[in-house]
Amino acid sequence: MLRFDVLTLFAGYFEPLRTQGICRRAFDSGVVQLHTWNPRDYASGAHRSVDDRPYGGGPGMVMLAEPLLGALHAARAARAAAGAATAPVLLFSPAGRVLRQPEVRELAESSGAVLVCGRYEGVDQRFIDLHVDDEVSLGDFVLSGGEIPAMALIDAVARLQPGVLGDELSAQQDSFSDGLLDCPHYTRPPRFQERDVPETLMSGDHARIARWRRDRMLELSWRRRPELVLELERERRLDRDDLRLLDTLRANGSRGGEA
Ligand code: 9WO
């Protein structure tokens, strides 16, 4: 069972995850569990402050270490009481390592994680140094808090749980399942604004369709994310047909651009 304990000042963000779409199924069936812990509940003083002004001056506020530690201890105790295995503590920040699907897959097979959602200008560095195992980034942009990255991570692992996607195969067939971008998809009608569905997809020839899809994955990945294709090539994970197409793509000199 996959259990997430989320340290957040804004537990309400996570409600839609429990009540909508694919993730809802994961929560309803109990294969994924989510518990939120509000640092404010572990704050001391009459004002129960969770933030204070930064030493050294400057704009904004910094999250206090103590209320976060109180929330972390409560989360750890609850996990232990529930018999859940110890889990890594992850903090979402653009300074972290960018999350990729192999790590998502690893997390999906684990017992979960404690997710720390920062707010304001950031978290007191001593809490990070002493209690955070890994910093996780979703990319080079700045948000107002770690909640949305936490939701993204939970969604990414929830959909990989057995029985959560209606069609078990679709989890395997998605972008990145094979280290490549996904191929284009088409549905009815056969003609839309003068554009026809690619003839191969209407042919009923399953082998030809599979090869067409694989070629489109390679072609799209080569144009937009050549490093993905080069990684598969290095790891010898391309078959002979893949390598033949790759030769053609290289000859056309279309790497990197959209030309
Ligand atoms: C912000 C930041 C910016 C540049 C370099 C390092 C940084 N760390 C943080 C940080 O920890 N920010 C906290 C969480 C508090 C402010 C809002 N936070 C946040 C997380 N903004 N953006 C993210 C984030 C997380 C993962 N992927 C992209 C953005």
Side-chain angles (χ1 to χ4, degrees):
M1 202 257 293
L2 197 53
R3 173 176 171 142
F4 289 101
D5 290 87
V6 182
L7 278 46
T8 176
L9 294 169
F10 299 100
Y13 267 91
F14 297 88
E15 283 316 306
L17 229 42
R18 298 184 205 275
T19 59
Q20 321 258 330
I22 292 292
C23 281
R24 174 191 176 173
R25 267 191 255 160
F27 290 111
D28 283 353
S29 71
V31 293
V32 180
Q33 263 192 31
L34 172 60
H35 299 268
T36 56
W37 306 90
N38 191 337
R40 197 169 295 282
D41 295 336
Y42 307 90
S44 53
H47 301 289
R48 305 213 142 237
S49 300
V50 292
D51 60 333
D52 208 334
R53 292 153 63 196
Y55 280 122
M61 301 291 268
V62 176
M63 282 185 91
L64 295 165
E66 190 205 83
L68 281 169
L69 185 59
L72 177 58
H73 281 153
R76 281 240 169 85
R79 284 186 76 95
T86 54
V89 178
L90 310 181
L91 174 80
F92 298 97
S93 138
R97 245 176 335 107
V98 175
L99 184 69
R100 296 187 69 198
Q101 193 66 15
E103 287 169 80
V104 170
R105 251 179 250 129
E106 222 171 89
L107 247 183
E109 288 168 14
S110 78
S111 59
V114 178
L115 309 180
V116 183
C117 303
R119 279 273 152 178
Y120 314 115
E121 293 302 305
V123 173
D124 189 305
Q125 188 62 38
R126 293 165 296 181
F127 178 83
I128 301 174
D129 294 342
L130 293 169
H131 300 291
V132 170
D133 297 307
D134 255 310
E135 288 183 62
V136 178
S137 171
L138 299 191
D140 294 339
F141 54 90
V142 178
L143 297 163
S144 53
E147 282 78 8
I148 288 172
M151 292 167 69
L153 182 143
I154 294 167
D155 182 283
V157 299
R159 60 184 291 287
L160 295 183
Q161 299 307 303
V164 170
L165 287 186
D167 176 359
E168 291 304 310
L169 282 179
S170 60
Q172 291 170 28
Q173 287 180 358
D174 279 318
S175 274
F176 296 122
S177 66
D178 202 18
L180 294 172
L181 301 178
D182 204 1
C183 65
H185 302 285
Y186 298 87
T187 185
R188 292 190 300 171
R191 168 167 277 216
F192 170 72
Q193 295 193 324
E194 333 268 79
R195 298 285 195 114
D196 290 324
V197 172
E199 178 272 325
T200 303
L201 297 178
M202 313 294 263
S203 70
D205 180 341
H206 297 298
R208 214 178 125 214
I209 291 168
R211 190 63 242 168
W212 182 91
R213 286 182 167 150
R214 180 75 180 174
D215 286 353
R216 298 293 79 73
M217 288 167 72
L218 282 160
E219 187 178 61
L220 181 67
S221 303
W222 184 247
R223 280 213 208 113
R224 297 204 190 161
R225 301 287 305 279
E227 77 280 8
L228 297 177
V229 182
L230 294 171
E231 189 175 339
L232 292 189
E233 190 183 35
R234 255 198 320 276
E235 293 171 353
R236 308 213 175 282
R237 287 167 58 198
L238 299 178
D239 67 21
R240 291 187 50 183
D241 291 332
D242 294 341
L243 291 170
R244 185 173 314 140
L245 179 74
L246 189 51
D247 273 347
T248 315
L249 294 170
R250 280 194 164 112
N252 292 343
S254 58
R255 181 183 157 195
E258 271 292 297

